[in-house]
Amino acid sequence: PKEIFLKDYTKPDYYFETVDLSFSLGEEKTIVSSLIKVSPRVKGSSAPLVLNGHDLKLLSVKVEGKLLKEGDYQLDSRHLTLPSLPAKESFVLEIDTEIYPHKNTSLDGLYKSSGNFCTQCEAEGFRKITFYQDRPDIMAKYTCRVEADKSLYPVLLSNGNLISQGDIEGGRHFALWEDPFKKPCYLFALVAGQLASRDDTFTTRSGREVSLKIWTPAEDLPKTAHAMYSLKAAMKWDEDVFGLEYDLDLFNIVAVPDFNMGAMENKSLNIFNSKLVLASPETATDADYAAILGVIGHEYFHNWTGNRVTCRDWFQLSLKEGLTVFRDQEFSSDMGSRTVKRIADVSTLRIYQFPEDAGPMAHPVRPHSYIKMDNFYTGKFSIYLRSLGFLLSIVFQSNVLVFSFMKRVLISISKDMMSKLVTCEDFFAAMRDANNADFANFLQWYSQAGTPVVKVASSYNAEARTFSLKFSQEIPPTPGQPTKEATFIPVTISSSSTILRVTKKEEEFVFSDIAERPVPSLFRGFSAPVRVETDLSDDDLFFLLAHDSDEFNRPLVLNPKFIQGLGSVLSDSTLDKEFIAKAITLPGEGEIMDMMAVADPDAVHVVRKFVRKQLASELKTELLKIVENNRSIEAYVFDHPNMARRALKNTGSSEYKSATNLTDQFAALAALSQNPGKTRDDVLADFYNKWQGDYLVVNKWFLLQSSSDIPGNVENIHALQTTIIQVYSLIGGFCGSPVNFHAKDGSGYKFLGDIVVQLDKINPQVASRMLSAFSRWKRYDETRQALAKAQLEMIMSANGLSENVFEIASKSLA
Ligand code: HT7
Ligand code: ZN
């Protein structure tokens, strides 16, 4: 497999101005015809035109209407090369290709999901549809004609505006779509199938009426009300906060059951995994409702940060993903609780990004190279960027500045589209100019991998009335980067929310005229994505637990004083209920293991269970009171006060039978299923019997069992049937439960090794995501290391390994 390097970027030799696509969809095969207006970057260029293509059958190539013979072009398994082209300002290229969507299980390119056709082109899926320069800096205007059997596929959708539609011979029909905006091919989309829509409208602040449609199978339409509410809320928020208005008259969302990731921001035709669209109080939890709000917002916000302002190449991915995550997190914070959202986001960062930064796939915000770009879309990546966005927002009050950056880039792009695609340097230049800011060595975040470790030593001098904070920073070595430079770390501290700018390896800050020894609250709101080691005593930490006005900084340590502290948090009616629920929930086993020199899953499991039990018995009275005062009495409402109330109540209750919504019922099911025995078996069977017809609810039922820490759970997983839809819930869930996945007999590792090899033949993107569970095998004891290594070697020796799996497995073994 070929590694692609940022340093090798060169501009394309040819640009594509317009692209007219025509799809004839069929059961056995689909014919794709493309007609492209091509213009060389340099007048009179004699460079060959190299097109990407993967799993395509080439039918014909024409240049300026003339059919090329076999010797006129070169074809290999990944490219079509046209060596001699007309020396004209522009010429027309026509290519006909045959593809087989019904056989496409990779869910990349054009494929079928539950009988409907749909596409996924980011990052490099368009090359599975037709031969093309599949790279983001090729921006063209598209039309798309879709033709299919009318009774099987009554709905035909693509990007932009519907120009015409009609019936044709043989029971077929067509629709012609035109997208007025230039776009890279990764934003192309097509959907054809038996779908119904929930329709609504949104009037923009300049008075334009936008038609909104959410498409699903007809029977699911009642479950799309929350998604529509979320879309309208996101459109309004983007106008109010960023001044950004939607730029077309139609916005479509389609929900499909088979999708590799959460959703995709294709221009005016977002495609979503159904689980991020469909919700009803009986079939979705508060967490699902919140995820739908956040992801609908995220994809919608991409319309500006990503679609209109586009990355020059995939190395600049952080621009669109970082900014868009920043925007969706701000949106969710404004719609709910800012503190709770921040705690949840940072916890995700700690669970996923910190371990990745310490493993073989560690990479800076802007990677230097990749084999398969898909492997760099871990949710972690964006969340990490959000921390940097947060960091900027603290230092420079960023909302205004992110917007001014976008405006600047938009202006330069519209002046000269071809040469002004966006890079991280543009981002910084815009930020710097808009704010006259000194970025110091902030750019190191974009080129250095690894999580900085910041040590803080404090000292108070009573005589001189001075207080000093000494910081030292170190970034551990990562693959290919044995030594690191100091980076820019903003440290927010107590009282006036002062920001200390730590820019050197060692730096001291002295505060004068301090009457008594203060207890500093450092890195308030998690002001930088770093690991912190302070010299604060337990007493200092308990002081903060009781008094810190920054809720983020209230720490967790087991001690009688801690139990007491939690008791008072539980009964403090002035605190946000959702915050209380978070404060009394222990970090997960993975998060705790990440703090150990040698990760010990068994010890962490036993100790965490003990602490939970101890807390439950010591705080029984307070917990029972909370359950009593926070029961769901009225009909389900998704809003912050009700979500917070349910979250708090469910930390103490397990009332399965009386529950009136899935949030309450599932919390009870999760609690009851922790102990093997008849009650567990009965409630799991009861739940399945009730919901077996709803695959999204059944998926939750799978996840609950696969992630269970009951002894020997690998046997139960074998017994549960595996289909592609259930891979995330079954396999992902199992690997997320350390005590069973890391079982010392190697049964968990063998299970995953076998699955990855099988799955790779069906869907490489999902296989490589599952495989990532092995990537930190060197963190465990020698026995476990040997067992995991054997599985990685077995995977590497498998025949026909995909590039996705090869990249993760080979880097893990290196
Ligand atoms: N920008 C989208 C990312 C995405 C993706 C990437 C690789 C392979 C498949 C994919 N499906 C969607 C979605 C987002 O940012 O939310
Ligand atoms: Zn995104």
Side-chain angles (χ1 to χ4, degrees):
K2 195 171 161 239
E3 194 160 2
I4 297 159
F5 291 88
L6 167 63
K7 65 178 169 45
D8 294 342
Y9 175 84
T10 52
K11 288 182 181 174
D13 289 319
Y14 292 91
Y15 290 117
F16 292 173
E17 288 172 30
T18 56
V19 179
D20 299 311
L21 296 170
S22 176
F23 288 78
S24 177
L25 302 173
E27 294 313 287
E28 294 300 311
K29 61 184 185 194
T30 285
I31 308 290
V32 186
S33 307
S34 76
L35 188 148
I36 307 172
K37 187 173 168 204
V38 185
S39 56
R41 182 168 53 84
V42 179
K43 220 171 142 192
S45 164
S46 60
L49 172 58
V50 183
L51 305 173
N52 308 98
H54 191 165
D55 288 341
L56 303 173
K57 181 172 167 191
L58 179 65
L59 298 179
S60 65
V61 198
K62 287 183 192 164
V63 175
E64 293 285 73
K66 193 168 157 270
L67 189 68
L68 299 194
K69 296 189 292 302
E70 257 181 37
D72 298 337
Y73 57 82
Q74 290 132 27
L75 188 63
D76 67 30
S77 65
R78 295 292 160 97
H79 305 98
L80 169 65
T81 306
L82 308 178
S84 49
L85 292 161
K88 294 171 77 175
E89 249 179 43
S90 69
F91 59 87
V92 174
L93 172 66
E94 288 168 86
I95 303 177
D96 283 0
T97 338
E98 191 171 291
I99 52 175
Y100 314 98
H102 62 291
K103 289 189 188 160
N104 181 358
T105 59
S106 70
L107 313 186
D108 193 30
L110 179 65
Y111 64 96
K112 289 191 88 173
S113 172
S114 295
N116 295 331
F117 285 93
C118 71
T119 53
Q120 170 56 38
C121 297
E122 186 174 5
E124 295 176 337
F126 195 75
R127 63 189 62 185
K128 293 184 168 181
I129 294 177
T130 182
F131 290 98
Y132 200 81
Q133 292 191 91
D134 189 355
R135 43 189 286 174
D137 53 1
I138 297 295
M139 303 266 284
K141 276 195 183 165
Y142 285 64
T143 65
C144 178
R145 184 183 184 280
V146 191
E147 180 198 311
D149 183 281
K150 191 172 180 178
S151 59
L152 291 174
Y153 311 102
V155 174
L156 306 173
L157 305 173
S158 190
N159 316 90
N161 303 316
L162 181 61
I163 300 298
S164 61
Q165 58 186 327
D167 291 344
I168 39 181
E169 280 166 15
R172 290 171 75 78
H173 71 149
F174 79 95
L176 177 62
W177 292 84
E178 181 182 42
D179 184 351
F181 294 105
K182 288 196 175 203
K183 65 171 176 285
C185 64
Y186 82 84
L187 291 174
F188 169 78
L190 175 159
V191 170
Q194 301 261 13
L195 297 162
S197 63
R198 171 185 289 270
D199 298 351
D200 210 327
T201 57
F202 178 83
T203 306
T204 68
R205 60 180 188 163
S206 67
R208 232 168 1 91
E209 190 171 284
V210 181
S211 160
L212 311 176
K213 288 176 183 290
I214 300 185
W215 299 89
T216 66
E219 65 271 20
D220 287 333
L221 276 187
K223 293 187 193 160
T224 57
H226 176 62
M228 186 60 91
Y229 157 81
S230 304
L231 175 60
K232 291 171 82 173
M235 294 178 87
K236 172 91 174 65
W237 185 90
D238 215 13
E239 290 189 349
D240 292 348
V241 178
F242 279 87
L244 292 172
E245 190 173 320
Y246 186 60
D247 54 4
L248 278 167
D249 298 334
L250 172 63
F251 190 84
N252 284 308
I253 287 179
V254 181
V256 298
D258 309 296
F259 203 75
N260 280 343
M261 303 262 280
M264 180 62 209
E265 69 264 24
N266 316 300
K267 182 76 190 186
S268 74
L269 178 50
N270 286 189
I271 300 182
F272 273 66
N273 188 323
S274 311
K275 74 172 182 198
L276 289 163
V277 172
L278 305 180
S280 70
E282 301 75 38
T283 60
T285 61
D286 284 343
D288 297 324
Y289 273 76
I292 291 170
L293 180 80
V295 180
I296 295 245
H298 180 96
E299 306 310 332
Y300 174 75
F301 300 143
H302 265 312
N303 188 53
W304 284 100
T305 40
N307 300 8
R308 290 294 295 273
V309 179
T310 301
C311 302
R312 183 192 72 176
D313 57 73
W314 289 122
F315 293 103
Q316 321 298 331
L317 182 69
S318 67
L319 283 178
K320 82 173 178 80
E321 291 307 337
L323 278 180
T324 307
V325 171
F326 176 85
R327 279 148 54 69
D328 85 54
Q329 292 182 338
E330 287 293 309
F331 170 58
S332 293
S333 299
D334 285 349
M335 304 288 288
S337 152
R338 185 161 284 271
T339 302
V340 171
K341 176 77 180 128
R342 186 69 187 143
I343 293 173
D345 291 338
V346 170
S347 145
T348 313
L349 178 89
R350 284 182 173 146
I351 295 169
Y352 297 110
Q353 185 61 50
F354 282 10
E356 185 186 87
D357 278 349
M361 280 298 286
H363 58 80
V365 170
R366 174 160 63 180
H368 300 292
S369 73
Y370 62 84
I371 293 177
K372 209 54 196 161
M373 195 56 211
D374 306 332
N375 286 333
F376 289 76
Y377 285 83
T378 50
K380 326 158 191 179
F381 176 74
S382 315
I383 287 157
Y384 192 53
L385 259 290
R386 171 62 181 83
S387 266
L388 296 185
F390 179 74
L391 179 159
L392 283 165
S393 76
I394 294 174
V395 184
F396 309 115
Q397 254 95 95
S398 179
N399 267 0
V400 176
L401 148 136
V402 171
F403 181 44
S404 79
F405 149 72
M406 289 196 296
K407 247 180 161 165
R408 201 192 101 131
V409 175
L410 282 174
I411 291 165
S412 61
I413 283 182
S414 54
K415 270 197 206 134
D416 180 0
M417 179 87 73
M418 297 305 188
S419 58
K420 291 278 172 57
L421 284 142
V422 188
T423 63
C424 294
E425 281 74 18
D426 294 319
F427 176 74
F428 280 103
M431 291 285 203
R432 195 191 47 229
D433 296 354
N435 296 276
N436 209 2
D438 170 15
F439 276 90
N441 41 0
F442 181 79
L443 270 158
Q444 296 288 5
W445 286 100
Y446 278 73
S447 54
Q448 285 187 156
T451 308
V453 179
V454 179
K455 292 191 179 145
V456 194
S458 61
S459 65
Y460 179 64
N461 183 332
E463 246 169 58
R465 291 166 59 94
T466 57
F467 179 66
S468 121
L469 286 172
K470 265 192 198 153
F471 292 86
S472 64
Q473 56 161 299
E474 200 171 313
I475 309 179
T478 49
Q481 287 187 332
T483 55
K484 307 287 167 87
E485 298 296 319
T487 189
F488 173 27
I489 297 171
V491 187
T492 50
I493 58 166
S494 45
S495 62
S496 57
S497 266
T498 314
I499 298 154
L500 306 177
R501 297 160 63 99
V502 176
T503 58
K504 303 191 187 94
K505 286 227 162 166
E506 296 199 337
E507 213 157 342
E508 183 175 11
F509 297 83
V510 181
F511 304 85
S512 50
D513 205 18
I514 307 289
E516 58 182 58
R517 180 186 172 270
V519 180
S521 166
L522 299 165
F523 291 96
R524 291 162 70 82
F526 199 69
S527 65
V530 297
R531 295 178 194 262
V532 186
E533 292 173 16
T534 68
D535 62 354
L536 293 183
S537 66
D538 280 359
D539 278 345
D540 290 340
L541 295 173
F542 291 126
F543 178 83
L544 290 176
L545 173 63
H547 302 293
D548 198 336
S549 61
D550 181 38
E551 287 162 340
F552 186 87
N553 260 7
R554 297 194 181 185
L556 211 63
V557 188
L558 189 70
N559 177 302
K561 278 194 194 166
F562 169 66
I563 297 176
Q564 237 176 50
L566 276 192
S568 53
V569 168
L570 272 177
S571 10
D572 186 343
S573 59
T574 64
L575 288 172
D576 181 307
K577 289 182 177 176
E578 206 178 356
F579 168 73
I580 302 177
K582 280 251 177 299
I584 61 168
T585 306
L586 298 176
E589 293 178 8
E591 203 174 336
I592 301 172
M593 269 191 327
D594 193 47
M595 297 171 195
M596 299 172 87
V598 176
D600 185 340
D602 298 325
V604 168
H605 182 62
V606 170
V607 171
R608 188 175 179 279
K609 238 182 153 165
F610 162 79
V611 175
R612 261 175 68 94
K613 262 198 160 159
Q614 180 103 340
L615 285 179
S617 74
E618 299 278 346
L619 299 172
K620 193 171 170 187
T621 321
E622 289 86 344
L623 287 168
L624 286 176
K625 210 159 150 196
I626 271 178
V627 173
E628 212 39 56
N629 294 341
N630 290 286
R631 284 217 166 80
S632 302
I633 301 162
E634 284 160 22
Y636 178 90
V637 179
F638 174 77
D639 61 11
H640 181 64
N642 277 294
M643 256 176 80
R645 177 183 56 71
R646 285 187 288 267
L648 184 56
K649 188 216 73 178
N650 287 333
T651 56
S653 133
S654 56
E655 295 170 340
Y656 175 79
K657 286 236 161 72
S658 57
T660 56
N661 59 66
L662 193 71
T663 307
D664 291 340
Q665 189 172 46
F666 205 71
L669 186 66
L672 293 171
S673 71
Q674 275 168 3
N675 299 314
K678 186 163 169 359
T679 312
R680 178 183 199 269
D681 297 346
D682 287 351
V683 286
L684 282 171
D686 177 73
F687 192 81
Y688 181 77
N689 286 337
K690 186 163 176 212
W691 292 112
Q692 55 188 300
D694 187 320
Y695 84 93
L696 288 175
V697 184
V698 171
N699 261 358
K700 291 184 194 304
W701 179 84
F702 273 123
L703 180 63
L704 195 70
Q705 292 174 79
S706 64
S707 56
S708 167
D709 53 19
I710 62 170
N713 200 30
V714 71
E715 293 306 323
N716 300 330
I717 307 299
H718 275 300
L720 293 164
Q721 198 201 345
T722 309
T723 75
I724 186 77
I725 298 177
Q726 290 141 5
V727 169
Y728 281 111
S729 42
L730 262 185
I731 320 301
F734 176 72
C735 299
S737 157
V739 71
N740 278 308
F741 175 56
H742 296 288
K744 222 161 181 166
D745 62 0
S747 55
Y749 296 162
K750 177 163 183 343
F751 172 71
L752 180 62
D754 292 345
I755 289 278
V756 167
V757 173
Q758 287 171 40
L759 197 55
D760 193 32
K761 301 195 188 325
I762 303 167
N763 188 315
Q765 282 185 22
V766 177
S768 74
R769 227 156 265 148
M770 295 299 121
L771 172 61
S772 304
F774 272 134
S775 63
R776 297 199 70 208
W777 60 280
K778 290 179 186 158
R779 296 256 308 118
Y780 296 84
D781 57 78
E782 278 176 19
T783 314
R784 287 183 170 96
Q785 284 193 25
L787 292 164
K789 186 169 178 232
Q791 290 302 320
L792 282 165
E793 285 166 348
M794 181 279 288
I795 292 168
M796 281 298 282
S797 68
N799 281 335
L801 211 60
S802 70
E803 288 173 332
N804 301 60
V805 166
F806 173 86
E807 177 163 35
I808 307 272
S810 60
K811 287 184 177 171
S812 299
L813 281 169

